[in-house]
mmCIF file of all heavy atoms in Angstrom:
data_model
loop_
_atom_site.group_PDB
_atom_site.id
_atom_site.type_symbol
_atom_site.label_atom_id
_atom_site.label_comp_id
_atom_site.label_asym_id
_atom_site.label_seq_id
_atom_site.Cartn_x
_atom_site.Cartn_y
_atom_site.Cartn_z
ATOM 1 N N GLU E 298 -10.226 28.152 -7.641
ATOM 2 C CA GLU E 298 -10.879 27.514 -8.780
ATOM 3 C C GLU E 298 -10.711 25.995 -8.734
ATOM 4 O O GLU E 298 -11.348 25.279 -9.489
ATOM 5 C CB GLU E 298 -10.272 28.045 -10.084
ATOM 6 C CG GLU E 298 -10.369 29.559 -10.230
ATOM 7 C CD GLU E 298 -9.575 30.062 -11.421
ATOM 8 O OE1 GLU E 298 -9.128 29.230 -12.246
ATOM 9 O OE2 GLU E 298 -9.395 31.290 -11.559
ATOM 10 N N GLN E 299 -9.840 25.519 -7.876
ATOM 11 C CA GLN E 299 -9.484 24.098 -7.839
ATOM 12 C C GLN E 299 -10.150 23.391 -6.675
ATOM 13 O O GLN E 299 -10.385 23.958 -5.618
ATOM 14 C CB GLN E 299 -7.961 23.961 -7.711
ATOM 15 C CG GLN E 299 -7.188 24.668 -8.808
ATOM 16 C CD GLN E 299 -5.701 24.730 -8.514
ATOM 17 O OE1 GLN E 299 -5.198 24.023 -7.648
ATOM 18 N NE2 GLN E 299 -5.005 25.585 -9.231
ATOM 19 N N GLY E 300 -10.450 22.144 -6.887
ATOM 20 C CA GLY E 300 -11.026 21.328 -5.829
ATOM 21 C C GLY E 300 -10.667 19.881 -6.064
ATOM 22 O O GLY E 300 -9.816 19.552 -6.884
ATOM 23 N N MET E 301 -11.314 19.005 -5.339
ATOM 24 C CA MET E 301 -11.087 17.580 -5.523
ATOM 25 C C MET E 301 -12.358 16.795 -5.215
ATOM 26 O O MET E 301 -13.201 17.230 -4.432
ATOM 27 C CB MET E 301 -9.957 17.067 -4.619
ATOM 28 C CG MET E 301 -10.316 17.008 -3.140
ATOM 29 S SD MET E 301 -9.212 15.967 -2.157
ATOM 30 C CE MET E 301 -7.746 16.976 -2.082
ATOM 31 N N ILE E 302 -12.456 15.663 -5.882
ATOM 32 C CA ILE E 302 -13.426 14.645 -5.471
ATOM 33 C C ILE E 302 -12.610 13.637 -4.674
ATOM 34 O O ILE E 302 -11.869 12.828 -5.230
ATOM 35 C CB ILE E 302 -14.090 13.973 -6.681
ATOM 36 C CG1 ILE E 302 -14.803 15.019 -7.550
ATOM 37 C CG2 ILE E 302 -15.081 12.895 -6.234
ATOM 38 C CD1 ILE E 302 -15.328 14.474 -8.864
ATOM 39 N N ALA E 303 -12.681 13.743 -3.351
ATOM 40 C CA ALA E 303 -11.928 12.845 -2.472
ATOM 41 C C ALA E 303 -12.594 11.482 -2.483
ATOM 42 O O ALA E 303 -13.826 11.376 -2.495
ATOM 43 C CB ALA E 303 -11.877 13.413 -1.066
ATOM 44 N N ARG E 304 -11.778 10.439 -2.465
ATOM 45 C CA ARG E 304 -12.338 9.092 -2.584
ATOM 46 C C ARG E 304 -11.608 8.118 -1.645
ATOM 47 O O ARG E 304 -10.382 8.175 -1.520
ATOM 48 C CB ARG E 304 -12.223 8.590 -4.016
ATOM 49 C CG ARG E 304 -12.859 7.209 -4.238
ATOM 50 C CD ARG E 304 -12.787 6.803 -5.702
ATOM 51 N NE ARG E 304 -13.310 5.451 -5.894
ATOM 52 C CZ ARG E 304 -14.398 5.154 -6.582
ATOM 53 N NH1 ARG E 304 -15.099 6.112 -7.166
ATOM 54 N NH2 ARG E 304 -14.804 3.891 -6.714
ATOM 55 N N VAL E 305 -12.382 7.283 -1.005
ATOM 56 C CA VAL E 305 -11.839 6.187 -0.194
ATOM 57 C C VAL E 305 -12.512 4.908 -0.656
ATOM 58 O O VAL E 305 -13.748 4.814 -0.655
ATOM 59 C CB VAL E 305 -12.075 6.410 1.306
ATOM 60 C CG1 VAL E 305 -11.647 5.167 2.101
ATOM 61 C CG2 VAL E 305 -11.320 7.634 1.809
ATOM 62 N N ASP E 306 -11.711 3.939 -1.082
ATOM 63 C CA ASP E 306 -12.203 2.600 -1.407
ATOM 64 C C ASP E 306 -11.748 1.663 -0.298
ATOM 65 O O ASP E 306 -10.554 1.637 0.034
ATOM 66 C CB ASP E 306 -11.640 2.133 -2.748
ATOM 67 C CG ASP E 306 -12.163 2.963 -3.910
ATOM 68 O OD1 ASP E 306 -13.256 2.665 -4.392
ATOM 69 O OD2 ASP E 306 -11.472 3.919 -4.314
ATOM 70 N N LEU E 307 -12.662 0.902 0.246
ATOM 71 C CA LEU E 307 -12.308 0.069 1.378
ATOM 72 C C LEU E 307 -13.001 -1.283 1.316
ATOM 73 O O LEU E 307 -13.986 -1.478 0.589
ATOM 74 C CB LEU E 307 -12.639 0.775 2.707
ATOM 75 C CG LEU E 307 -14.106 1.226 2.930
ATOM 76 C CD1 LEU E 307 -14.948 0.120 3.498
ATOM 77 C CD2 LEU E 307 -14.131 2.442 3.853
ATOM 78 N N THR E 308 -12.461 -2.211 2.058
ATOM 79 C CA THR E 308 -13.052 -3.530 2.249
ATOM 80 C C THR E 308 -13.450 -3.668 3.695
ATOM 81 O O THR E 308 -12.611 -3.486 4.587
ATOM 82 C CB THR E 308 -12.053 -4.639 1.884
ATOM 83 O OG1 THR E 308 -11.622 -4.477 0.533
ATOM 84 C CG2 THR E 308 -12.714 -6.016 2.034
ATOM 85 N N TYR E 309 -14.720 -3.946 3.924
ATOM 86 C CA TYR E 309 -15.215 -4.122 5.283
ATOM 87 C C TYR E 309 -15.552 -5.588 5.524
ATOM 88 O O TYR E 309 -16.302 -6.193 4.758
ATOM 89 C CB TYR E 309 -16.451 -3.255 5.543
ATOM 90 C CG TYR E 309 -16.975 -3.398 6.952
ATOM 91 C CD1 TYR E 309 -16.360 -2.732 8.002
ATOM 92 C CD2 TYR E 309 -18.059 -4.238 7.230
ATOM 93 C CE1 TYR E 309 -16.832 -2.872 9.308
ATOM 94 C CE2 TYR E 309 -18.525 -4.377 8.522
ATOM 95 C CZ TYR E 309 -17.901 -3.707 9.557
ATOM 96 O OH TYR E 309 -18.354 -3.856 10.849
ATOM 97 N N ASP E 310 -14.984 -6.143 6.578
ATOM 98 C CA ASP E 310 -15.225 -7.544 6.933
ATOM 99 C C ASP E 310 -16.277 -7.582 8.041
ATOM 100 O O ASP E 310 -15.994 -7.206 9.183
ATOM 101 C CB ASP E 310 -13.925 -8.190 7.412
ATOM 102 C CG ASP E 310 -14.121 -9.654 7.811
ATOM 103 O OD1 ASP E 310 -15.181 -10.220 7.485
ATOM 104 O OD2 ASP E 310 -13.218 -10.216 8.457
ATOM 105 N N PRO E 311 -17.486 -8.052 7.748
ATOM 106 C CA PRO E 311 -18.540 -8.042 8.770
ATOM 107 C C PRO E 311 -18.270 -9.019 9.912
ATOM 108 O O PRO E 311 -18.814 -8.842 11.011
ATOM 109 C CB PRO E 311 -19.808 -8.441 7.991
ATOM 110 C CG PRO E 311 -19.305 -9.125 6.759
ATOM 111 C CD PRO E 311 -17.980 -8.528 6.450
ATOM 112 N N ASP E 312 -17.469 -10.058 9.661
ATOM 113 C CA ASP E 312 -17.189 -11.026 10.731
ATOM 114 C C ASP E 312 -16.297 -10.426 11.816
ATOM 115 O O ASP E 312 -16.549 -10.573 13.002
ATOM 116 C CB ASP E 312 -16.552 -12.288 10.154
ATOM 117 C CG ASP E 312 -17.522 -13.069 9.272
ATOM 118 O OD1 ASP E 312 -18.724 -13.117 9.636
ATOM 119 O OD2 ASP E 312 -17.107 -13.597 8.236
ATOM 120 N N SER E 313 -15.222 -9.753 11.401
ATOM 121 C CA SER E 313 -14.341 -9.110 12.379
ATOM 122 C C SER E 313 -14.784 -7.688 12.684
ATOM 123 O O SER E 313 -14.179 -7.020 13.535
ATOM 124 C CB SER E 313 -12.896 -9.096 11.869
ATOM 125 O OG SER E 313 -12.796 -8.326 10.679
ATOM 126 N N ARG E 314 -15.831 -7.222 11.954
ATOM 127 C CA ARG E 314 -16.346 -5.854 12.123
ATOM 128 C C ARG E 314 -15.210 -4.850 11.997
ATOM 129 O O ARG E 314 -15.017 -3.967 12.837
ATOM 130 C CB ARG E 314 -17.059 -5.700 13.467
ATOM 131 C CG ARG E 314 -18.338 -6.527 13.584
ATOM 132 C CD ARG E 314 -19.017 -6.345 14.929
ATOM 133 N NE ARG E 314 -19.437 -4.956 15.127
ATOM 134 C CZ ARG E 314 -20.589 -4.453 14.674
ATOM 135 N NH1 ARG E 314 -21.414 -5.212 13.985
ATOM 136 N NH2 ARG E 314 -20.912 -3.197 14.918
ATOM 137 N N SER E 315 -14.467 -4.971 10.920
ATOM 138 C CA SER E 315 -13.319 -4.083 10.744
ATOM 139 C C SER E 315 -13.079 -3.805 9.275
ATOM 140 O O SER E 315 -13.474 -4.586 8.386
ATOM 141 C CB SER E 315 -12.055 -4.700 11.364
ATOM 142 O OG SER E 315 -11.706 -5.878 10.654
ATOM 143 N N ILE E 316 -12.437 -2.687 9.028
ATOM 144 C CA ILE E 316 -11.955 -2.349 7.691
ATOM 145 C C ILE E 316 -10.617 -3.057 7.519
ATOM 146 O O ILE E 316 -9.710 -2.885 8.334
ATOM 147 C CB ILE E 316 -11.784 -0.835 7.521
ATOM 148 C CG1 ILE E 316 -13.140 -0.131 7.693
ATOM 149 C CG2 ILE E 316 -11.196 -0.497 6.164
ATOM 150 C CD1 ILE E 316 -13.028 1.378 7.796
ATOM 151 N N THR E 317 -10.519 -3.880 6.480
ATOM 152 C CA THR E 317 -9.292 -4.659 6.316
ATOM 153 C C THR E 317 -8.354 -4.089 5.280
ATOM 154 O O THR E 317 -7.144 -4.321 5.331
ATOM 155 C CB THR E 317 -9.630 -6.113 5.934
ATOM 156 O OG1 THR E 317 -10.432 -6.113 4.752
ATOM 157 C CG2 THR E 317 -10.395 -6.792 7.071
ATOM 158 N N ARG E 318 -8.908 -3.382 4.297
ATOM 159 C CA ARG E 318 -8.053 -2.725 3.311
ATOM 160 C C ARG E 318 -8.694 -1.400 2.919
ATOM 161 O O ARG E 318 -9.918 -1.250 2.948
ATOM 162 C CB ARG E 318 -7.861 -3.583 2.057
ATOM 163 C CG ARG E 318 -6.915 -4.766 2.240
ATOM 164 C CD ARG E 318 -6.750 -5.535 0.960
ATOM 165 N NE ARG E 318 -6.046 -4.811 -0.068
ATOM 166 C CZ ARG E 318 -4.718 -4.734 -0.171
ATOM 167 N NH1 ARG E 318 -3.959 -5.327 0.717
ATOM 168 N NH2 ARG E 318 -4.146 -4.082 -1.151
ATOM 169 N N GLY E 319 -7.863 -0.445 2.532
ATOM 170 C CA GLY E 319 -8.404 0.846 2.101
ATOM 171 C C GLY E 319 -7.429 1.567 1.190
ATOM 172 O O GLY E 319 -6.215 1.404 1.305
ATOM 173 N N ARG E 320 -7.987 2.340 0.285
ATOM 174 C CA ARG E 320 -7.180 3.162 -0.617
ATOM 175 C C ARG E 320 -7.763 4.561 -0.631
ATOM 176 O O ARG E 320 -8.963 4.728 -0.781
ATOM 177 C CB ARG E 320 -7.184 2.576 -2.028
ATOM 178 C CG ARG E 320 -6.328 3.377 -3.025
ATOM 179 C CD ARG E 320 -6.546 2.911 -4.456
ATOM 180 N NE ARG E 320 -6.177 1.521 -4.631
ATOM 181 C CZ ARG E 320 -4.966 1.104 -4.978
ATOM 182 N NH1 ARG E 320 -4.009 1.973 -5.183
ATOM 183 N NH2 ARG E 320 -4.720 -0.180 -5.124
ATOM 184 N N MET E 321 -6.929 5.581 -0.452
ATOM 185 C CA MET E 321 -7.383 6.951 -0.541
ATOM 186 C C MET E 321 -6.814 7.596 -1.805
ATOM 187 O O MET E 321 -5.672 7.363 -2.190
ATOM 188 C CB MET E 321 -6.986 7.756 0.711
ATOM 189 C CG MET E 321 -5.505 7.911 0.939
ATOM 190 S SD MET E 321 -5.086 8.563 2.586
ATOM 191 C CE MET E 321 -6.000 10.093 2.620
ATOM 192 N N SER E 322 -7.658 8.364 -2.476
ATOM 193 C CA SER E 322 -7.257 8.989 -3.735
ATOM 194 C C SER E 322 -8.123 10.217 -3.972
ATOM 195 O O SER E 322 -9.031 10.514 -3.188
ATOM 196 C CB SER E 322 -7.409 8.008 -4.899
ATOM 197 O OG SER E 322 -8.775 7.628 -5.037
ATOM 198 N N CYS E 323 -7.852 10.939 -5.034
ATOM 199 C CA CYS E 323 -8.712 12.068 -5.378
ATOM 200 C C CYS E 323 -8.691 12.296 -6.872
ATOM 201 O O CYS E 323 -7.733 11.937 -7.567
ATOM 202 C CB CYS E 323 -8.285 13.331 -4.622
ATOM 203 S SG CYS E 323 -6.830 14.146 -5.321
ATOM 204 N N THR E 324 -9.774 12.863 -7.368
ATOM 205 C CA THR E 324 -9.856 13.342 -8.740
ATOM 206 C C THR E 324 -9.861 14.870 -8.694
ATOM 207 O O THR E 324 -10.758 15.460 -8.098
ATOM 208 C CB THR E 324 -11.151 12.853 -9.418
ATOM 209 O OG1 THR E 324 -11.172 11.426 -9.415
ATOM 210 C CG2 THR E 324 -11.229 13.347 -10.846
ATOM 211 N N PRO E 325 -8.853 15.528 -9.257
ATOM 212 C CA PRO E 325 -8.817 16.989 -9.221
ATOM 213 C C PRO E 325 -9.919 17.600 -10.080
ATOM 214 O O PRO E 325 -10.295 17.043 -11.120
ATOM 215 C CB PRO E 325 -7.417 17.334 -9.764
ATOM 216 C CG PRO E 325 -7.000 16.144 -10.557
ATOM 217 C CD PRO E 325 -7.689 14.957 -9.946
#
């Protein structure tokens, strides 16, 4: 009966073409 809304918030830098920061979380 249980699930999650998985979430990743990130910052993408187009100059270095890289993810510089990220946060993973979920809403049950």
Side-chain angles (χ1 to χ4, degrees):
E298 303 171 10
Q299 304 169 15
M301 71 163 73
I302 301 172
R304 183 177 176 114
V305 173
D306 293 276
L307 57 85
T308 302
Y309 180 79
D310 180 13
D312 293 322
S313 63
R314 294 180 62 85
S315 65
I316 298 169
T317 57
R318 285 181 68 84
R320 181 190 299 270
M321 63 192 304
S322 62
C323 77
T324 300

